[in-house]
Amino acid sequence: MHTITPLLSHNFKLSLLSLALFGVQSSFAEEVQTLSTIQLQAQSANTEESSEKTKAYIVKKSSNTTKLNLKTQETPQTINVVTRQQLDDFAISNTRDVLRNTPGVSVSSQETDRTSYLSRGFEISNIQVDGIGFPLEGYNYNNSNPDTFLYDRVEVIKGADALSNAIGDPSATINMVRKRPTRNVQGSVSASYGSWDTQRYEADVSSALTEDGRIRGRVFGYQQTGDSYLDHYAQEKNGVGAIVEADLTDSTLLTAGYSHTNSKSDGNNWGANPLMNSSGAQLGYSRAYNYSPDWTYWDSNIQNYFAELKQQLGGDWELKLNYDETHIDRDAKLLYLSGNPGSDNTSGIFLWPGRYIDDNKERQASISAQGTFPLFGQRHEAVIGYSWAENQINGVGYGGSYSNPLTTDLASWTPAEPTWDMTQTSGEAHMRQNLQSYYAATRIHFNDDLKMILGSNYVQAKNKGNSYGADAYYDEDKVLPYAGLTYNFTPEYTGYMSYSSIFRPQTTRALDGSLNKPIEGKSYEIGVKSSWLDDRLTGSMAIFRTEESNYPLRNSDGLPINRKVQVSDLRSQGYEFGLAGQLSDNLNVSFGYTLFSLKDLINGGQARTYNPDQMFNLLTTYTVPQLPQLKIGAGVQWQDKTYLDVPEATDTAGVITQNAGIIRQDSYALLNLMASYEINDQLSLQANANNITNEKYLFNFPDAQGFYGAPANYSVAVRYKY
């Protein structure tokens, strides 16, 4: 395996930080435990409670949709949350698996190390941490798969979200909420072992750092190594994080933190297995088949710094300042695959080696003020703010060469590492993106039951530079309105409707070479939310519709031969419902069902047929009353059948090089099981089993390439907490 050079240093850092923090907390533990409860004004009444603390399958508040920190029942959009308890129960350690367990979200794993997330038919480009994030560029490929150990929960806000992000994409916003320090002493260590020699170790320590609890700290870290069910592919990753909170005054709270993560994979593919031959027949493989040789790798190193200052103003108003900076370094040797095998399996495939070095820097800052004001005998919420973001992208590619032709029998050829020419680049990317956002919103209380949200976001978006030979320039601005209405039919049932605008500048170009106009559109949602059992159980039903114009179509966005235009209008509409929380003291549940259709309004027909239009997700656990130390659970992921039409292709002489065909994946369900047993208050054991029916299935295949998901696999873990 490709060695992680910073591994020892990271473990050393983690050890030092853990020992330091443990020493401080131990010296103050007895005094802190004897202190009476301290109520600090710096802890706002609107502060969101961590899911780690509640151990629930729901959260009651979220500020990341409207910036108004409303109850989820009073937020006029669908919100799905994967809490810390769900992550622990089902041993979900990476973002891809989080989203696979999120209702209505499809994870498109075209390759081992690049992923797209889709909701309601559109890619998700808005990915945030603590409500701050820079939209993805291009085709919305996620080149990283963040580990979940650093986070308290993951929220998915469905639909366009023009207020919470400077650019209101139509699908959803993913918000990853960091863990925070605690006043009470707590800590945990765990070790797990699973299929393909997967080993994982975690450590987490949190405590007050001063006797009065005004300064609190937390350090945590993880390390994971293992092979894979795929030939040649293996991954090693580790990370460490530290967060400090300080009550500078009774009304001032400062939070600062740092995280450093490394991920190194060997045998990763860049362009996956071709799924159709030139005769138009769908190809099948061993589930383990991976064409990439052992010399390929993709290393990434991500450092993040952040700071947040909350200042209580007069009344219930709060001023908040944020700064976030991320450095991303990547180094990769890749073998790109394209083409379709000939009927003889010895031609039609092209393999292009490349060496890529990337250096990206993201910086973001924001200031906002939030509170309430009186009017007509009611108090109303309001927020006003400004955010700034800059993304610097620098990438260099170097080509490799083979002495032999690149077409061969793929299944029997294991290419040696080529000769690299580091004196000449095969292409470079140098871009600078800037975003500015001025926003304001208010919630008007007509009475105790009827409330209206009105808001607007003025966006300025600029991009300059080039990306591997293509100019990447735009300078756009737009006002994005937002509106929502809620009505409490009863204390348990709330009806709502919402409208949000869509705006996204793009660097793609039309056939004549001109820059495509910004993607624009509208998003509508109407539904009912409910809350029962003292807010321990929530339900939702929603009908949605999204209209988007100026969308540049890819080959997989419909059958190309039927197109009248290359830039079209798309419409997604459907409904979804969900239930989450505690059905009883012993039974936790989270499930959702989504059905939608995505249409090409100009060319006609259904778009993105490789994306399932029906999905069902379930996570549930049951604590056995007769044996309360034992918890058992099950998870189900089901999706409807998918397909992709591959059109006929000809060369310049009119000779057919590719017959038309269809790639199909039948509907399938994955069943996961878990069981945990608490030996005592500190020590527990857990076992997890995934895909226990050993279902063989393809991930999404938008480019007529793909690979199979993991077969049945298992893990066991031991955890000690104090």
Side-chain angles (χ1 to χ4, degrees):
M1 169 168 288
H2 197 64
T3 304
I4 296 183
T5 53
L7 180 60
L8 292 177
S9 64
H10 275 302
N11 289 338
F12 183 65
K13 292 177 187 176
L14 177 59
S15 300
L16 286 180
L17 289 169
S18 299
L19 288 172
L21 183 56
F22 183 79
V24 174
Q25 62 91 4
S26 296
S27 64
F28 293 124
E30 184 175 351
E31 290 86 352
V32 172
Q33 291 173 354
T34 60
L35 291 174
S36 58
T37 302
I38 300 173
Q39 300 292 335
L40 296 173
Q41 295 180 4
Q43 299 294 320
S44 168
N46 293 324
T47 299
E48 301 173 21
E49 193 170 30
S50 73
S51 71
E52 177 186 42
K53 181 178 179 180
T54 65
K55 299 184 183 301
Y57 272 32
I58 58 172
V59 295
K60 297 180 180 180
K61 281 188 175 183
S62 176
S63 62
N64 298 299
T65 306
T66 61
K67 301 288 190 182
L68 292 170
N69 199 27
L70 306 178
K71 293 181 177 179
T72 55
Q73 186 173 349
E74 296 183 325
T75 301
Q77 288 180 240
T78 300
I79 301 175
N80 298 117
V81 182
V82 180
T83 66
R84 184 72 252 169
Q85 191 64 51
Q86 293 169 275
L87 298 174
D88 291 341
D89 285 345
F90 291 92
I92 302 173
S93 61
N94 63 80
T95 305
R96 291 176 192 166
D97 287 342
V98 168
L99 296 171
R100 289 189 180 107
N101 286 279
T102 301
V105 176
S106 175
V107 178
S108 180
S109 298
Q110 302 99 314
E111 303 160 339
T112 52
D113 288 70
R114 291 198 302 179
T115 310
S116 295
Y117 309 127
L118 299 96
S119 176
R120 300 177 176 179
F122 297 101
E123 289 96 341
I124 302 174
S125 65
N126 294 336
I127 301 177
Q128 305 177 339
V129 177
D130 286 345
I132 297 173
F134 203 101
L136 296 172
E137 182 61 24
Y139 281 172
N140 300 316
Y141 285 128
N142 292 270
N143 294 336
S144 62
N145 184 20
D147 199 278
T148 60
F149 190 64
L150 306 180
Y151 303 101
D152 174 78
R153 63 187 183 273
V154 180
E155 303 173 340
V156 180
I157 302 97
K158 301 291 184 59
D161 202 7
L163 285 180
S164 72
N165 199 298
I167 296 178
D169 272 325
S171 55
T173 296
I174 299 168
N175 182 48
M176 309 181 73
V177 181
R178 294 184 179 96
K179 292 178 177 178
R180 298 293 172 133
T182 60
R183 285 189 174 83
N184 297 326
V185 179
Q186 68 174 48
S188 67
V189 293
S190 66
S192 66
Y193 183 83
S195 300
W196 311 296
D197 194 29
T198 302
Q199 302 176 51
R200 183 176 174 90
Y201 306 93
E202 299 173 347
D204 189 344
V205 181
S206 180
S207 173
L209 301 179
T210 59
E211 293 188 38
D212 59 6
R214 298 181 72 92
I215 301 177
R216 303 163 295 279
R218 186 168 188 166
V219 294
F220 35 81
Y222 65 89
Q223 178 181 328
Q224 180 175 316
T225 61
D227 294 324
S228 166
Y229 70 97
L230 292 172
D231 296 334
H232 312 293
Y233 186 73
Q235 187 181 53
E236 188 172 346
K237 63 179 182 176
N238 63 66
V240 62
I243 298 179
V244 176
E245 285 185 346
D247 300 312
L248 303 182
T249 71
D250 288 346
S251 60
T252 309
L253 174 65
L254 176 65
T255 305
Y258 168 80
S259 66
H260 193 170
T261 61
N262 291 276
S263 177
K264 296 185 181 281
S265 59
D266 296 332
N268 52 285
N269 53 43
W270 192 249
N273 303 332
L275 298 179
M276 180 174 289
N277 65 19
S278 60
S279 300
Q282 182 170 343
L283 300 174
Y285 302 90
S286 160
R287 186 156 31 192
Y289 177 68
N290 174 26
Y291 74 88
S292 292
D294 293 331
W295 54 262
T296 59
Y297 69 83
W298 192 347
D299 300 347
S300 68
N301 179 291
I302 302 175
Q303 297 186 71
N304 174 256
Y305 311 81
F306 78 95
E308 178 185 86
L309 182 68
K310 291 183 179 180
Q311 176 64 55
Q312 299 298 310
L313 306 175
D316 57 5
W317 279 82
E318 179 182 84
L319 179 70
K320 183 166 71 173
L321 291 88
N322 291 89
Y323 180 79
D324 191 283
E325 184 169 319
T326 301
H327 298 248
I328 305 172
D329 296 313
R330 293 191 177 95
D331 180 10
K333 290 181 179 179
L334 305 171
L335 189 62
Y336 180 76
L337 182 147
S338 64
N340 298 91
S343 56
D344 58 359
N345 290 322
T346 61
S347 62
I349 290 295
F350 301 88
L351 296 170
W352 305 101
R355 174 81 185 273
Y356 299 94
I357 300 174
D358 298 326
D359 178 14
N360 299 341
K361 179 187 288 186
E362 301 175 1
R363 295 185 295 162
Q364 299 161 91
S366 65
I367 180 172
S368 65
Q370 176 187 337
T372 66
F373 62 95
L375 184 67
F376 302 128
Q378 297 274 349
R379 293 202 70 85
H380 316 274
E381 297 89 355
V383 63
I384 185 171
Y386 166 80
S387 63
W388 168 89
E390 180 181 77
N391 186 16
Q392 298 181 46
I393 301 174
N394 293 289
V396 181
Y398 302 93
S401 60
Y402 288 113
S403 59
N404 298 318
L406 297 178
T407 56
T408 185
D409 185 355
L410 190 64
S412 62
W413 185 51
T414 303
E417 185 172 353
T419 301
W420 302 102
D421 184 1
M422 305 299 289
T423 63
Q424 292 186 333
T425 66
S426 60
E428 298 186 28
H430 302 285
M431 292 193 300
R432 183 186 296 265
Q433 301 169 271
N434 290 94
L435 284 176
Q436 294 190 84
S437 171
Y438 305 82
Y439 62 89
T442 184
R443 184 170 75 157
I444 303 298
H445 296 234
F446 296 110
N447 52 47
D448 291 341
D449 297 319
L450 181 61
K451 302 163 189 177
M452 176 180 286
I453 299 173
L454 295 174
S456 183
N457 188 355
Y458 173 63
V459 178
Q460 296 175 321
K462 297 181 180 180
N463 190 92
K464 60 181 180 181
N466 62 84
S467 178
Y468 293 97
D471 291 336
Y473 174 84
Y474 57 73
D475 187 351
E476 304 284 352
D477 65 280
K478 192 169 181 69
V479 175
L480 305 176
Y482 180 97
L485 189 70
T486 63
Y487 182 76
N488 299 322
F489 296 107
T490 69
E492 293 81 22
Y493 295 93
T494 299
Y496 71 90
M497 59 180 68
S498 64
Y499 162 87
S500 186
S501 48
I502 299 164
F503 174 69
R504 182 176 176 84
Q506 51 183 333
T507 57
T508 60
R509 294 185 177 273
L511 295 177
D512 62 2
S514 62
L515 191 69
N516 284 320
K517 297 179 180 179
I519 296 172
E520 299 190 45
K522 303 172 182 178
S523 179
Y524 308 90
E525 186 170 326
I526 183 170
V528 177
K529 295 186 178 183
S530 54
S531 180
W532 308 284
L533 304 176
D534 295 326
D535 293 335
R536 292 182 300 168
L537 181 67
T538 63
S540 63
M541 297 180 63
I543 301 172
F544 57 85
R545 178 169 178 161
T546 299
E547 300 171 350
E548 194 174 45
S549 60
N550 303 325
Y551 189 89
L553 298 174
R554 302 174 230 170
N555 287 338
S556 56
D557 290 333
L559 201 56
I561 60 175
N562 294 333
R563 287 180 186 166
K564 305 178 184 72
V565 294
Q566 292 295 119
V567 177
S568 189
D569 300 341
L570 302 181
R571 182 184 69 204
S572 169
Q573 59 186 20
Y575 64 88
E576 57 187 9
F577 63 87
L579 187 72
Q582 283 186 287
L583 288 172
S584 70
D585 291 340
N586 301 95
L587 182 61
N588 281 318
V589 65
S590 173
F591 81 84
Y593 171 79
T594 301
L595 183 148
F596 76 96
S597 66
L598 182 66
K599 301 291 186 181
D600 186 329
L601 299 182
I602 298 179
N603 296 303
Q606 190 173 355
R608 299 186 179 175
T609 56
Y610 61 86
N611 188 41
D613 54 16
Q614 290 189 80
M615 289 173 284
F616 173 85
N617 295 78
L618 170 69
L619 294 175
T620 183
T621 59
Y622 181 71
T623 302
V624 181
Q626 297 79 8
L627 189 63
Q629 301 95 329
L630 177 64
K631 180 194 293 185
I632 55 177
V636 177
Q637 304 164 35
W638 174 88
Q639 69 171 52
D640 202 3
K641 60 184 179 183
T642 57
Y643 69 94
L644 178 67
D645 285 304
V646 178
E648 179 182 275
T650 61
D651 60 18
T652 56
V655 177
I656 297 175
T657 57
Q658 171 68 57
N659 287 319
I662 302 177
I663 300 171
R664 303 181 187 273
Q665 169 61 58
D666 293 335
S667 62
Y668 65 88
L670 305 181
L671 176 60
N672 308 323
L673 299 177
M674 66 80 60
S676 65
Y677 186 82
E678 294 183 351
I679 299 175
N680 52 44
D681 291 340
Q682 287 77 41
L683 188 64
S684 63
L685 303 176
Q686 183 165 317
N688 290 84
N690 301 314
N691 190 14
I692 65 169
T693 61
N694 204 32
E695 186 78 23
K696 186 177 181 181
Y697 62 97
L698 284 167
F699 288 119
N700 289 4
F701 34 85
D703 299 312
Q705 296 175 316
F707 62 97
Y708 297 98
N713 59 95
Y714 312 90
S715 67
V716 293
V718 57
R719 174 176 295 177
Y720 179 83
K721 62 181 182 180
Y722 60 90

